Amino acid sequence: MKKNLKIAHGGWVVVGDGRTALLLSNQGDEVYPNLQVEQVLEASPNPPTHEQGTDQPPRAVFAGRRSAIAQTDWHDLAEQRFARDVAEALEKMHHTSPIKTLIVVAPPRTLSTFRQAFSESLKRSIVAEINKDLTKHPLPEIERLLTRA
């Protein structure tokens, strides 16, 4: 994690994973950040894999031989869809009131989906990407971990 990260007054932080996202704004300053929750997004319920799709892996024939194909990971697809929904919500906010600085905090796979989903305009406002899952941490802890105060 980047040490001594500065979060500008009015800067935005998105803390997300495949199920929850916190959209935070800094109402404090760079020395004493005061992150406030602007919006909480949560993914819709995702039933167990056995309730989705089929119980047998699909089969295909390659060069005259039958072979099993890996089953679809429905949870992974739902997490990617949720990350794209979060990116879309950020895009709407950015078009309404441009986000000047954005810090993105997410686990690697979610971070990758965010990168793919963000517009070039929003990507230009990103000042840091942090490969961590902090969604279950309280706000003071998130502030401390981001700024290493």
Side-chain angles (χ1 to χ4, degrees), residues 46-112:
N46 192 0
T49 299
H50 71 272
E51 292 180 13
Q52 303 181 55
T54 63
D55 60 349
Q56 294 287 327
R59 302 244 175 227
V61 177
F62 296 104
R65 294 186 171 179
R66 288 177 45 93
S67 180
I69 300 173
Q71 280 190 307
T72 301
D73 186 340
W74 299 105
H75 292 101
D76 184 49
L77 289 176
E79 289 179 3
Q80 289 178 21
R81 185 173 31 251
F82 176 70
R84 286 191 300 271
D85 291 345
V86 171
E88 185 177 315
L90 277 168
E91 290 291 343
K92 286 179 183 175
M93 291 171 58
H94 184 58
H95 288 299
T96 303
S97 177
I99 296 172
K100 292 184 171 98
T101 62
L102 177 64
I103 297 169
V104 183
V105 183
R109 294 175 82 170
T110 305
L111 201 53
S112 173

Short mmCIF file of all heavy atoms in Angstrom, two decimals, residues 46-112:
data_model
loop_
_atom_site.label_atom_id
_atom_site.label_comp_id
_atom_site.label_asym_id
_atom_site.label_seq_id
_atom_site.Cartn_x
_atom_site.Cartn_y
_atom_site.Cartn_z
N ASN A 46 -27.01 -13.67 -4.31
CA ASN A 46 -26.49 -14.61 -5.31
C ASN A 46 -26.63 -16.02 -4.74
O ASN A 46 -25.88 -16.41 -3.85
CB ASN A 46 -25.03 -14.28 -5.61
CG ASN A 46 -24.52 -15.01 -6.82
OD1 ASN A 46 -25.23 -15.77 -7.44
ND2 ASN A 46 -23.27 -14.78 -7.15
N PRO A 47 -27.61 -16.79 -5.25
CA PRO A 47 -27.84 -18.13 -4.70
C PRO A 47 -26.65 -19.06 -4.94
O PRO A 47 -25.78 -18.79 -5.77
CB PRO A 47 -29.08 -18.63 -5.46
CG PRO A 47 -29.23 -17.75 -6.63
CD PRO A 47 -28.49 -16.48 -6.35
N PRO A 48 -26.60 -20.16 -4.19
CA PRO A 48 -25.52 -21.12 -4.37
C PRO A 48 -25.44 -21.62 -5.82
O PRO A 48 -26.43 -21.64 -6.54
CB PRO A 48 -25.88 -22.28 -3.44
CG PRO A 48 -26.89 -21.73 -2.50
CD PRO A 48 -27.57 -20.60 -3.19
N THR A 49 -24.24 -22.02 -6.21
CA THR A 49 -24.00 -22.47 -7.58
C THR A 49 -24.94 -23.60 -7.98
O THR A 49 -25.43 -23.63 -9.11
CB THR A 49 -22.53 -22.91 -7.75
OG1 THR A 49 -21.71 -21.78 -7.47
CG2 THR A 49 -22.25 -23.39 -9.16
N HIS A 50 -25.22 -24.53 -7.07
CA HIS A 50 -26.07 -25.67 -7.43
C HIS A 50 -27.50 -25.25 -7.77
O HIS A 50 -28.24 -26.00 -8.37
CB HIS A 50 -26.06 -26.74 -6.33
CG HIS A 50 -26.78 -26.34 -5.08
ND1 HIS A 50 -26.15 -25.67 -4.06
CD2 HIS A 50 -28.06 -26.53 -4.69
CE1 HIS A 50 -27.01 -25.45 -3.09
NE2 HIS A 50 -28.18 -25.97 -3.45
N GLU A 51 -27.88 -24.01 -7.38
CA GLU A 51 -29.21 -23.52 -7.74
C GLU A 51 -29.19 -22.74 -9.06
O GLU A 51 -30.22 -22.29 -9.53
CB GLU A 51 -29.75 -22.63 -6.63
CG GLU A 51 -30.06 -23.39 -5.36
CD GLU A 51 -30.60 -22.49 -4.27
OE1 GLU A 51 -30.97 -21.33 -4.56
OE2 GLU A 51 -30.67 -22.95 -3.11
N GLN A 52 -28.00 -22.58 -9.62
CA GLN A 52 -27.86 -21.86 -10.87
C GLN A 52 -27.27 -22.80 -11.91
O GLN A 52 -26.38 -23.57 -11.62
CB GLN A 52 -26.90 -20.66 -10.70
CG GLN A 52 -27.32 -19.71 -9.62
CD GLN A 52 -26.35 -18.56 -9.50
OE1 GLN A 52 -26.09 -17.87 -10.49
NE2 GLN A 52 -25.83 -18.33 -8.31
N GLY A 53 -27.73 -22.74 -13.10
CA GLY A 53 -27.17 -23.56 -14.17
C GLY A 53 -27.52 -25.03 -13.99
O GLY A 53 -28.47 -25.40 -13.33
N THR A 54 -26.72 -25.89 -14.58
CA THR A 54 -26.97 -27.32 -14.55
C THR A 54 -26.07 -28.00 -13.54
O THR A 54 -25.09 -27.44 -13.06
CB THR A 54 -26.70 -27.94 -15.94
OG1 THR A 54 -25.31 -27.77 -16.23
CG2 THR A 54 -27.54 -27.30 -17.01
N ASP A 55 -26.40 -29.25 -13.22
CA ASP A 55 -25.58 -29.99 -12.26
C ASP A 55 -24.47 -30.78 -12.95
O ASP A 55 -23.59 -31.30 -12.30
CB ASP A 55 -26.44 -30.90 -11.40
CG ASP A 55 -27.19 -31.93 -12.22
OD1 ASP A 55 -27.21 -31.82 -13.45
OD2 ASP A 55 -27.77 -32.85 -11.61
N GLN A 56 -24.50 -30.91 -14.26
CA GLN A 56 -23.49 -31.63 -15.01
C GLN A 56 -22.63 -30.63 -15.78
O GLN A 56 -23.15 -29.70 -16.39
CB GLN A 56 -24.15 -32.58 -16.03
CG GLN A 56 -24.92 -33.72 -15.41
CD GLN A 56 -23.99 -34.75 -14.81
OE1 GLN A 56 -22.91 -34.98 -15.32
NE2 GLN A 56 -24.42 -35.39 -13.73
N PRO A 57 -21.32 -30.80 -15.77
CA PRO A 57 -20.50 -29.90 -16.59
C PRO A 57 -20.80 -30.14 -18.06
O PRO A 57 -21.08 -31.27 -18.47
CB PRO A 57 -19.06 -30.29 -16.24
CG PRO A 57 -19.13 -31.62 -15.60
CD PRO A 57 -20.52 -31.78 -15.05
N PRO A 58 -20.75 -29.09 -18.86
CA PRO A 58 -21.00 -29.26 -20.28
C PRO A 58 -19.89 -30.12 -20.92
O PRO A 58 -18.79 -30.22 -20.42
CB PRO A 58 -20.98 -27.84 -20.82
CG PRO A 58 -20.34 -27.00 -19.78
CD PRO A 58 -20.47 -27.72 -18.49
N ARG A 59 -20.24 -30.74 -22.02
CA ARG A 59 -19.30 -31.60 -22.74
C ARG A 59 -19.14 -31.08 -24.16
O ARG A 59 -20.05 -30.50 -24.74
CB ARG A 59 -19.81 -33.03 -22.79
CG ARG A 59 -20.04 -33.63 -21.42
CD ARG A 59 -19.11 -34.78 -21.25
NE ARG A 59 -19.20 -35.32 -19.90
CZ ARG A 59 -18.15 -35.60 -19.18
NH1 ARG A 59 -16.97 -35.40 -19.65
NH2 ARG A 59 -18.28 -36.11 -17.98
N ALA A 60 -17.98 -31.33 -24.71
CA ALA A 60 -17.70 -30.96 -26.09
C ALA A 60 -16.88 -32.07 -26.73
O ALA A 60 -16.24 -32.86 -26.04
CB ALA A 60 -16.93 -29.65 -26.15
N VAL A 61 -16.93 -32.13 -28.04
CA VAL A 61 -16.15 -33.13 -28.76
C VAL A 61 -15.01 -32.42 -29.49
O VAL A 61 -15.23 -31.50 -30.27
CB VAL A 61 -17.04 -33.89 -29.77
CG1 VAL A 61 -16.21 -34.89 -30.56
CG2 VAL A 61 -18.19 -34.58 -29.06
N PHE A 62 -13.78 -32.83 -29.15
CA PHE A 62 -12.59 -32.29 -29.79
C PHE A 62 -11.82 -33.45 -30.41
O PHE A 62 -11.44 -34.39 -29.73
CB PHE A 62 -11.68 -31.59 -28.76
CG PHE A 62 -12.31 -30.38 -28.13
CD1 PHE A 62 -12.80 -30.44 -26.83
CD2 PHE A 62 -12.44 -29.20 -28.83
CE1 PHE A 62 -13.37 -29.34 -26.24
CE2 PHE A 62 -13.02 -28.09 -28.25
CZ PHE A 62 -13.49 -28.16 -26.95
N ALA A 63 -11.61 -33.40 -31.71
CA ALA A 63 -10.85 -34.43 -32.43
C ALA A 63 -11.39 -35.83 -32.13
O ALA A 63 -10.64 -36.77 -31.89
CB ALA A 63 -9.37 -34.35 -32.09
N GLY A 64 -12.71 -35.93 -32.09
CA GLY A 64 -13.34 -37.24 -31.89
C GLY A 64 -13.41 -37.69 -30.44
O GLY A 64 -13.89 -38.77 -30.15
N ARG A 65 -12.96 -36.90 -29.51
CA ARG A 65 -12.99 -37.26 -28.09
C ARG A 65 -13.93 -36.33 -27.33
O ARG A 65 -13.92 -35.12 -27.54
CB ARG A 65 -11.60 -37.17 -27.47
CG ARG A 65 -10.66 -38.17 -28.05
CD ARG A 65 -9.38 -38.12 -27.30
NE ARG A 65 -8.55 -39.24 -27.71
CZ ARG A 65 -7.37 -39.46 -27.25
NH1 ARG A 65 -6.85 -38.65 -26.35
NH2 ARG A 65 -6.67 -40.48 -27.67
N ARG A 66 -14.70 -36.91 -26.42
CA ARG A 66 -15.58 -36.11 -25.56
C ARG A 66 -14.75 -35.57 -24.39
O ARG A 66 -13.94 -36.28 -23.82
CB ARG A 66 -16.73 -36.95 -25.03
CG ARG A 66 -17.76 -37.27 -26.11
CD ARG A 66 -18.87 -38.16 -25.60
NE ARG A 66 -19.44 -37.82 -24.33
CZ ARG A 66 -20.52 -37.04 -24.15
NH1 ARG A 66 -21.11 -36.52 -25.20
NH2 ARG A 66 -20.99 -36.80 -22.95
N SER A 67 -15.00 -34.35 -24.06
CA SER A 67 -14.24 -33.73 -22.99
C SER A 67 -15.16 -32.81 -22.19
O SER A 67 -16.04 -32.16 -22.76
CB SER A 67 -13.08 -32.93 -23.57
OG SER A 67 -12.35 -32.33 -22.57
N ALA A 68 -14.96 -32.77 -20.88
CA ALA A 68 -15.74 -31.87 -20.04
C ALA A 68 -15.17 -30.45 -20.17
O ALA A 68 -13.98 -30.26 -20.35
CB ALA A 68 -15.67 -32.31 -18.58
N ILE A 69 -16.06 -29.50 -20.07
CA ILE A 69 -15.69 -28.09 -20.09
C ILE A 69 -15.94 -27.54 -18.69
O ILE A 69 -16.91 -27.91 -18.04
CB ILE A 69 -16.54 -27.32 -21.13
CG1 ILE A 69 -16.32 -27.90 -22.53
CG2 ILE A 69 -16.21 -25.83 -21.11
CD1 ILE A 69 -17.24 -27.30 -23.57
N ALA A 70 -15.08 -26.67 -18.24
CA ALA A 70 -15.25 -26.11 -16.90
C ALA A 70 -16.60 -25.43 -16.78
O ALA A 70 -17.07 -24.75 -17.70
CB ALA A 70 -14.14 -25.10 -16.62
N GLN A 71 -17.22 -25.63 -15.62
CA GLN A 71 -18.52 -25.01 -15.39
C GLN A 71 -18.38 -23.51 -15.23
O GLN A 71 -17.33 -23.01 -14.81
CB GLN A 71 -19.17 -25.58 -14.13
CG GLN A 71 -19.83 -26.92 -14.35
CD GLN A 71 -20.65 -27.32 -13.15
OE1 GLN A 71 -20.15 -27.34 -12.05
NE2 GLN A 71 -21.90 -27.64 -13.39
N THR A 72 -19.44 -22.81 -15.54
CA THR A 72 -19.47 -21.37 -15.37
C THR A 72 -19.43 -21.05 -13.88
O THR A 72 -20.15 -21.64 -13.09
CB THR A 72 -20.75 -20.79 -15.99
OG1 THR A 72 -20.78 -21.15 -17.38
CG2 THR A 72 -20.83 -19.30 -15.84
N ASP A 73 -18.60 -20.10 -13.50
CA ASP A 73 -18.54 -19.64 -12.12
C ASP A 73 -19.52 -18.48 -11.98
O ASP A 73 -19.20 -17.33 -12.27
CB ASP A 73 -17.11 -19.21 -11.76
CG ASP A 73 -16.97 -18.86 -10.29
OD1 ASP A 73 -18.00 -18.58 -9.64
OD2 ASP A 73 -15.83 -18.88 -9.80
N TRP A 74 -20.74 -18.79 -11.54
CA TRP A 74 -21.80 -17.81 -11.46
C TRP A 74 -21.49 -16.70 -10.46
O TRP A 74 -21.86 -15.55 -10.67
CB TRP A 74 -23.13 -18.48 -11.12
CG TRP A 74 -23.53 -19.48 -12.17
CD1 TRP A 74 -23.46 -20.83 -12.09
CD2 TRP A 74 -24.01 -19.19 -13.49
NE1 TRP A 74 -23.87 -21.41 -13.27
CE2 TRP A 74 -24.23 -20.43 -14.15
CE3 TRP A 74 -24.28 -18.01 -14.18
CZ2 TRP A 74 -24.69 -20.51 -15.45
CZ3 TRP A 74 -24.76 -18.10 -15.49
CH2 TRP A 74 -24.96 -19.34 -16.10
N HIS A 75 -20.78 -17.06 -9.39
CA HIS A 75 -20.43 -16.04 -8.40
C HIS A 75 -19.41 -15.05 -8.95
O HIS A 75 -19.52 -13.85 -8.71
CB HIS A 75 -19.93 -16.70 -7.11
CG HIS A 75 -21.01 -17.44 -6.39
ND1 HIS A 75 -21.14 -18.80 -6.45
CD2 HIS A 75 -22.03 -16.99 -5.63
CE1 HIS A 75 -22.19 -19.16 -5.76
NE2 HIS A 75 -22.75 -18.10 -5.25
N ASP A 76 -18.46 -15.54 -9.70
CA ASP A 76 -17.48 -14.67 -10.32
C ASP A 76 -18.16 -13.73 -11.32
O ASP A 76 -17.86 -12.53 -11.35
CB ASP A 76 -16.39 -15.50 -11.02
CG ASP A 76 -15.28 -14.64 -11.59
OD1 ASP A 76 -14.77 -13.77 -10.85
OD2 ASP A 76 -14.94 -14.82 -12.77
N LEU A 77 -19.08 -14.25 -12.11
CA LEU A 77 -19.81 -13.42 -13.07
C LEU A 77 -20.62 -12.35 -12.35
O LEU A 77 -20.67 -11.19 -12.78
CB LEU A 77 -20.73 -14.27 -13.94
CG LEU A 77 -20.04 -15.17 -14.96
CD1 LEU A 77 -21.06 -16.03 -15.69
CD2 LEU A 77 -19.26 -14.33 -15.96
N ALA A 78 -21.26 -12.72 -11.23
CA ALA A 78 -22.05 -11.75 -10.47
C ALA A 78 -21.15 -10.66 -9.89
O ALA A 78 -21.52 -9.48 -9.88
CB ALA A 78 -22.81 -12.45 -9.36
N GLU A 79 -19.97 -11.03 -9.41
CA GLU A 79 -19.04 -10.04 -8.86
C GLU A 79 -18.55 -9.08 -9.94
O GLU A 79 -18.43 -7.88 -9.70
CB GLU A 79 -17.87 -10.74 -8.17
CG GLU A 79 -18.28 -11.40 -6.87
CD GLU A 79 -17.14 -12.13 -6.17
OE1 GLU A 79 -15.99 -12.08 -6.67
OE2 GLU A 79 -17.40 -12.73 -5.13
N GLN A 80 -18.27 -9.60 -11.12
CA GLN A 80 -17.85 -8.74 -12.23
C GLN A 80 -18.98 -7.79 -12.63
O GLN A 80 -18.75 -6.60 -12.89
CB GLN A 80 -17.42 -9.58 -13.42
CG GLN A 80 -16.11 -10.30 -13.22
CD GLN A 80 -15.75 -11.16 -14.42
OE1 GLN A 80 -16.24 -10.96 -15.52
NE2 GLN A 80 -14.90 -12.14 -14.19
N ARG A 81 -20.20 -8.31 -12.67
CA ARG A 81 -21.36 -7.49 -13.03
C ARG A 81 -21.55 -6.37 -12.00
O ARG A 81 -21.78 -5.22 -12.33
CB ARG A 81 -22.60 -8.36 -13.14
CG ARG A 81 -23.84 -7.66 -13.63
CD ARG A 81 -25.03 -8.59 -13.88
NE ARG A 81 -25.09 -9.75 -13.03
CZ ARG A 81 -24.85 -11.01 -13.41
NH1 ARG A 81 -24.51 -11.26 -14.66
NH2 ARG A 81 -24.95 -12.01 -12.57
N PHE A 82 -21.39 -6.72 -10.71
CA PHE A 82 -21.52 -5.72 -9.65
C PHE A 82 -20.45 -4.64 -9.78
O PHE A 82 -20.74 -3.45 -9.64
CB PHE A 82 -21.45 -6.38 -8.27
CG PHE A 82 -21.50 -5.39 -7.14
CD1 PHE A 82 -22.66 -4.70 -6.86
CD2 PHE A 82 -20.38 -5.14 -6.38
CE1 PHE A 82 -22.71 -3.77 -5.84
CE2 PHE A 82 -20.41 -4.22 -5.35
CZ PHE A 82 -21.58 -3.53 -5.07
N ALA A 83 -19.21 -5.03 -10.04
CA ALA A 83 -18.13 -4.06 -10.20
C ALA A 83 -18.42 -3.11 -11.37
O ALA A 83 -18.17 -1.90 -11.28
CB ALA A 83 -16.79 -4.76 -10.40
N ARG A 84 -18.99 -3.65 -12.44
CA ARG A 84 -19.37 -2.78 -13.57
C ARG A 84 -20.50 -1.83 -13.17
O ARG A 84 -20.53 -0.67 -13.59
CB ARG A 84 -19.75 -3.62 -14.78
CG ARG A 84 -18.55 -4.26 -15.48
CD ARG A 84 -18.90 -4.87 -16.81
NE ARG A 84 -19.90 -5.91 -16.73
CZ ARG A 84 -19.65 -7.21 -16.54
NH1 ARG A 84 -18.40 -7.61 -16.42
NH2 ARG A 84 -20.63 -8.08 -16.47
N ASP A 85 -21.42 -2.30 -12.33
CA ASP A 85 -22.51 -1.44 -11.84
C ASP A 85 -21.96 -0.30 -10.98
O ASP A 85 -22.41 0.84 -11.06
CB ASP A 85 -23.54 -2.24 -11.04
CG ASP A 85 -24.35 -3.20 -11.90
OD1 ASP A 85 -24.33 -3.06 -13.15
OD2 ASP A 85 -24.99 -4.10 -11.32
N VAL A 86 -20.98 -0.61 -10.14
CA VAL A 86 -20.33 0.41 -9.31
C VAL A 86 -19.63 1.43 -10.21
O VAL A 86 -19.75 2.64 -10.00
CB VAL A 86 -19.33 -0.22 -8.31
CG1 VAL A 86 -18.51 0.84 -7.61
CG2 VAL A 86 -20.07 -1.10 -7.31
N ALA A 87 -18.92 0.95 -11.22
CA ALA A 87 -18.25 1.84 -12.16
C ALA A 87 -19.26 2.74 -12.85
O ALA A 87 -19.02 3.94 -13.02
CB ALA A 87 -17.45 1.03 -13.17
N GLU A 88 -20.40 2.19 -13.21
CA GLU A 88 -21.44 2.98 -13.87
C GLU A 88 -21.98 4.06 -12.93
O GLU A 88 -22.20 5.20 -13.35
CB GLU A 88 -22.58 2.05 -14.31
CG GLU A 88 -23.66 2.74 -15.11
CD GLU A 88 -24.72 1.76 -15.58
OE1 GLU A 88 -24.36 0.67 -16.07
OE2 GLU A 88 -25.91 2.10 -15.45
N ALA A 89 -22.16 3.72 -11.65
CA ALA A 89 -22.63 4.71 -10.67
C ALA A 89 -21.61 5.84 -10.53
O ALA A 89 -21.97 7.03 -10.47
CB ALA A 89 -22.88 4.05 -9.32
N LEU A 90 -20.32 5.49 -10.50
CA LEU A 90 -19.27 6.51 -10.42
C LEU A 90 -19.26 7.38 -11.67
O LEU A 90 -19.06 8.60 -11.60
CB LEU A 90 -17.90 5.86 -10.24
CG LEU A 90 -17.53 5.48 -8.81
CD1 LEU A 90 -16.30 4.58 -8.80
CD2 LEU A 90 -17.29 6.71 -7.97
N GLU A 91 -19.47 6.76 -12.82
CA GLU A 91 -19.52 7.51 -14.08
C GLU A 91 -20.65 8.54 -14.05
O GLU A 91 -20.46 9.69 -14.47
CB GLU A 91 -19.71 6.57 -15.28
CG GLU A 91 -18.52 5.70 -15.59
CD GLU A 91 -17.32 6.45 -16.13
OE1 GLU A 91 -17.45 7.60 -16.59
OE2 GLU A 91 -16.23 5.87 -16.09
N LYS A 92 -21.82 8.15 -13.55
CA LYS A 92 -22.95 9.08 -13.47
C LYS A 92 -22.61 10.25 -12.56
O LYS A 92 -22.92 11.40 -12.87
CB LYS A 92 -24.20 8.35 -12.98
CG LYS A 92 -24.82 7.45 -14.02
CD LYS A 92 -26.04 6.73 -13.49
CE LYS A 92 -26.59 5.78 -14.55
NZ LYS A 92 -27.70 4.98 -14.05
N MET A 93 -21.99 9.94 -11.41
CA MET A 93 -21.59 11.00 -10.48
C MET A 93 -20.58 11.92 -11.15
O MET A 93 -20.65 13.15 -11.00
CB MET A 93 -20.99 10.39 -9.21
CG MET A 93 -22.00 9.68 -8.35
SD MET A 93 -21.24 8.75 -7.01
CE MET A 93 -20.37 10.02 -6.14
N HIS A 94 -19.65 11.34 -11.89
CA HIS A 94 -18.59 12.10 -12.55
C HIS A 94 -19.16 13.04 -13.60
O HIS A 94 -18.68 14.16 -13.78
CB HIS A 94 -17.58 11.14 -13.16
CG HIS A 94 -16.40 11.78 -13.80
ND1 HIS A 94 -15.54 12.60 -13.11
CD2 HIS A 94 -15.92 11.72 -15.06
CE1 HIS A 94 -14.58 13.02 -13.92
NE2 HIS A 94 -14.79 12.50 -15.11
N HIS A 95 -20.21 12.61 -14.30
CA HIS A 95 -20.83 13.46 -15.32
C HIS A 95 -21.65 14.57 -14.69
O HIS A 95 -21.73 15.66 -15.25
CB HIS A 95 -21.68 12.63 -16.27
CG HIS A 95 -20.87 11.78 -17.19
ND1 HIS A 95 -19.97 12.29 -18.10
CD2 HIS A 95 -20.81 10.43 -17.35
CE1 HIS A 95 -19.39 11.31 -18.77
NE2 HIS A 95 -19.88 10.17 -18.31
N THR A 96 -22.25 14.30 -13.53
CA THR A 96 -23.05 15.31 -12.84
C THR A 96 -22.16 16.37 -12.21
O THR A 96 -22.39 17.57 -12.36
CB THR A 96 -23.92 14.65 -11.74
OG1 THR A 96 -24.72 13.65 -12.34
CG2 THR A 96 -24.79 15.67 -11.05
N SER A 97 -21.16 15.92 -11.49
CA SER A 97 -20.21 16.81 -10.81
C SER A 97 -18.84 16.16 -10.94
O SER A 97 -18.56 15.19 -10.23
CB SER A 97 -20.61 16.97 -9.35
OG SER A 97 -19.68 17.76 -8.67
N PRO A 98 -17.99 16.65 -11.84
CA PRO A 98 -16.72 15.98 -12.11
C PRO A 98 -15.91 15.65 -10.85
O PRO A 98 -15.76 16.48 -9.96
CB PRO A 98 -15.97 16.97 -13.00
CG PRO A 98 -17.05 17.76 -13.66
CD PRO A 98 -18.15 17.87 -12.63
N ILE A 99 -15.44 14.43 -10.80
CA ILE A 99 -14.59 13.96 -9.72
C ILE A 99 -13.17 14.36 -10.08
O ILE A 99 -12.63 13.89 -11.08
CB ILE A 99 -14.72 12.43 -9.54
CG1 ILE A 99 -16.15 12.07 -9.14
CG2 ILE A 99 -13.71 11.91 -8.54
CD1 ILE A 99 -16.44 10.56 -9.12
N LYS A 100 -12.56 15.21 -9.24
CA LYS A 100 -11.21 15.69 -9.55
C LYS A 100 -10.14 14.68 -9.14
O LYS A 100 -9.17 14.48 -9.85
CB LYS A 100 -10.97 17.03 -8.87
CG LYS A 100 -11.83 18.13 -9.46
CD LYS A 100 -11.50 19.46 -8.85
CE LYS A 100 -12.20 20.56 -9.59
NZ LYS A 100 -13.39 21.05 -9.08
N THR A 101 -10.32 14.05 -7.96
CA THR A 101 -9.38 13.03 -7.52
C THR A 101 -10.15 11.82 -7.00
O THR A 101 -11.15 11.95 -6.31
CB THR A 101 -8.44 13.54 -6.40
OG1 THR A 101 -9.20 13.91 -5.26
CG2 THR A 101 -7.60 14.71 -6.88
N LEU A 102 -9.66 10.65 -7.38
CA LEU A 102 -10.31 9.40 -7.00
C LEU A 102 -9.24 8.40 -6.58
O LEU A 102 -8.23 8.23 -7.26
CB LEU A 102 -11.11 8.84 -8.19
CG LEU A 102 -11.78 7.49 -7.99
CD1 LEU A 102 -12.86 7.56 -6.91
CD2 LEU A 102 -12.38 7.00 -9.30
N ILE A 103 -9.49 7.75 -5.46
CA ILE A 103 -8.65 6.66 -4.99
C ILE A 103 -9.52 5.41 -5.04
O ILE A 103 -10.64 5.41 -4.53
CB ILE A 103 -8.14 6.93 -3.56
CG1 ILE A 103 -7.25 8.18 -3.56
CG2 ILE A 103 -7.38 5.72 -3.02
CD1 ILE A 103 -6.92 8.70 -2.19
N VAL A 104 -9.01 4.37 -5.66
CA VAL A 104 -9.76 3.12 -5.82
C VAL A 104 -9.09 2.04 -4.96
O VAL A 104 -7.91 1.77 -5.11
CB VAL A 104 -9.80 2.67 -7.30
CG1 VAL A 104 -10.63 1.42 -7.46
CG2 VAL A 104 -10.33 3.79 -8.18
N VAL A 105 -9.89 1.45 -4.06
CA VAL A 105 -9.39 0.41 -3.16
C VAL A 105 -10.24 -0.84 -3.39
O VAL A 105 -11.44 -0.81 -3.15
CB VAL A 105 -9.48 0.84 -1.68
CG1 VAL A 105 -8.89 -0.21 -0.77
CG2 VAL A 105 -8.83 2.19 -1.46
N ALA A 106 -9.62 -1.92 -3.85
CA ALA A 106 -10.37 -3.14 -4.14
C ALA A 106 -9.40 -4.31 -4.27
O ALA A 106 -8.22 -4.12 -4.56
CB ALA A 106 -11.16 -2.98 -5.43
N PRO A 107 -9.92 -5.54 -4.09
CA PRO A 107 -9.09 -6.72 -4.35
C PRO A 107 -8.73 -6.78 -5.84
O PRO A 107 -9.37 -6.14 -6.67
CB PRO A 107 -9.98 -7.90 -3.95
CG PRO A 107 -11.16 -7.33 -3.25
CD PRO A 107 -11.24 -5.88 -3.61
N PRO A 108 -7.71 -7.56 -6.20
CA PRO A 108 -7.18 -7.56 -7.57
C PRO A 108 -8.23 -7.76 -8.67
O PRO A 108 -8.23 -7.02 -9.66
CB PRO A 108 -6.17 -8.70 -7.58
CG PRO A 108 -5.84 -8.96 -6.17
CD PRO A 108 -6.99 -8.49 -5.34
N ARG A 109 -9.09 -8.74 -8.54
CA ARG A 109 -10.05 -9.01 -9.62
C ARG A 109 -11.05 -7.87 -9.79
O ARG A 109 -11.42 -7.50 -10.90
CB ARG A 109 -10.76 -10.33 -9.37
CG ARG A 109 -9.78 -11.51 -9.46
CD ARG A 109 -10.44 -12.79 -9.11
NE ARG A 109 -11.14 -13.27 -10.28
CZ ARG A 109 -11.67 -14.46 -10.37
NH1 ARG A 109 -11.61 -15.28 -9.36
NH2 ARG A 109 -12.29 -14.83 -11.46
N THR A 110 -11.51 -7.31 -8.67
CA THR A 110 -12.45 -6.20 -8.73
C THR A 110 -11.76 -4.97 -9.29
O THR A 110 -12.33 -4.25 -10.11
CB THR A 110 -13.02 -5.91 -7.32
OG1 THR A 110 -13.59 -7.10 -6.80
CG2 THR A 110 -14.08 -4.83 -7.37
N LEU A 111 -10.53 -4.74 -8.88
CA LEU A 111 -9.74 -3.62 -9.40
C LEU A 111 -9.60 -3.72 -10.91
O LEU A 111 -9.75 -2.73 -11.63
CB LEU A 111 -8.38 -3.62 -8.72
CG LEU A 111 -7.56 -2.36 -8.70
CD1 LEU A 111 -8.33 -1.18 -8.15
CD2 LEU A 111 -6.30 -2.58 -7.88
N SER A 112 -9.36 -4.91 -11.41
CA SER A 112 -9.23 -5.14 -12.84
C SER A 112 -10.53 -4.81 -13.57
O SER A 112 -10.52 -4.16 -14.62
CB SER A 112 -8.83 -6.59 -13.11
OG SER A 112 -8.86 -6.87 -14.48
#
